[in-house]
Amino acid sequence: KDCASLRNFVVFAHNFWAAPLSVLASTLLLLRCLGWPALAGVSLIPALIPLETRLASATKRWRKKTLSAADQRMVAVRDALGSIEALKLDPEAWEARVDTRVTKARSDELEALRGEYELTVANQVLMRVAPMLVALLSFAVNALAGRELTPATAFSSLALFSGIGHP
């Protein structure tokens, strides 16, 4: 876990300075390309941050549940393996008790994994959809303002919105 944290820090540490610069540059270029309607879409980004934060926090809580359930399952399996050597008198009754314990532990672990993965997928969907929502809002405001949207402006703006979404 510590190695993974260190690796993630090394990989993403540059985002502390690069991401704000990238977002600022993309926003300024959007203003030049699309005009003031770009601000409508860009203003949606701060509104999405609390939702992403909640999803990430919930995912972290579910991850702790998953790890705890996995530990409980490993304890049950270890106890079962240790008991195999000690108990050889009544294998049918013993196997049923151990099987029930291990199966319940595995079921709890799978439930925790499912919750964790559902939140992870929701967060990934939000991260992928957010740049499109921002672009759609800007284009809608552009259309409501009666401004012309040429293909060159639209595709350039989409590329810049993508830069904001994934600095």
Side-chain angles (χ1 to χ4, degrees), residues 97-115:
R97 284 191 307 239
V98 169
D99 184 48
T100 303
R101 182 175 173 203
V102 172
T103 301
K104 170 140 179 26
R106 181 62 181 155
S107 175
D108 292 346
E109 181 183 8
L110 289 174
E111 181 183 332
L113 270 172
R114 180 181 173 128

Side-chain angles (χ1 to χ4, degrees), residues 127-149:
M127 289 175 59
R128 301 293 189 261
V129 170
M132 289 185 279
L133 291 175
V134 169
L136 286 173
L137 180 60
S138 294
F139 292 155
V141 169
N142 191 62
L144 290 172
R147 299 170 54 109
E148 182 182 10
L149 185 63

Side-chain angles (χ1 to χ4, degrees), residues 9-161:
F9 176 77
V10 169
V11 170
F12 296 111
H14 72 281
N15 282 339
F16 288 117
W17 64 270
L21 289 178
S22 176
V23 169
L24 180 64
S26 293
T27 302
L28 292 175
L29 289 170
L30 270 168
L31 282 172
R32 181 179 167 123
C33 182
L34 193 59
W36 64 268
L39 292 176
V42 171
S43 67
L44 181 62
I45 294 170
L48 294 174
I49 290 173
L51 182 57
E52 287 183 10
T53 302
R54 281 187 180 162
L55 283 171
S57 296
T59 302
K60 186 176 181 180
R61 284 192 303 274
W62 273 99
R63 180 70 185 147
K64 287 181 180 179
K65 288 180 185 180
T66 301
L67 292 174
S68 175
D71 288 344
Q72 292 300 318
R73 180 181 55 84
M74 292 304 296
V75 166
V77 169
R78 187 181 63 233
D79 290 348
L81 291 174
S83 298
I84 286 173
E85 296 172 3
L87 294 175
K88 295 194 180 198
L89 297 173
D90 190 11
E92 289 81 23
W94 175 80
E95 284 179 16
R97 284 191 307 239
V98 169
D99 184 48
T100 303
R101 182 175 173 203
V102 172
T103 301
K104 170 140 179 26
R106 181 62 181 155
S107 175
D108 292 346
E109 181 183 8
L110 289 174
E111 181 183 332
L113 270 172
R114 180 181 173 128
E116 179 186 346
Y117 287 153
E118 286 174 355
L119 287 169
T120 299
V121 167
N123 197 16
Q124 290 295 321
V125 167
L126 180 63
M127 289 175 59
R128 301 293 189 261
V129 170
M132 289 185 279
L133 291 175
V134 169
L136 286 173
L137 180 60
S138 294
F139 292 155
V141 169
N142 191 62
L144 290 172
R147 299 170 54 109
E148 182 182 10
L149 185 63
T150 64
T153 302
F155 288 116
S156 299
S157 298
L158 284 173
L160 291 168
F161 280 123

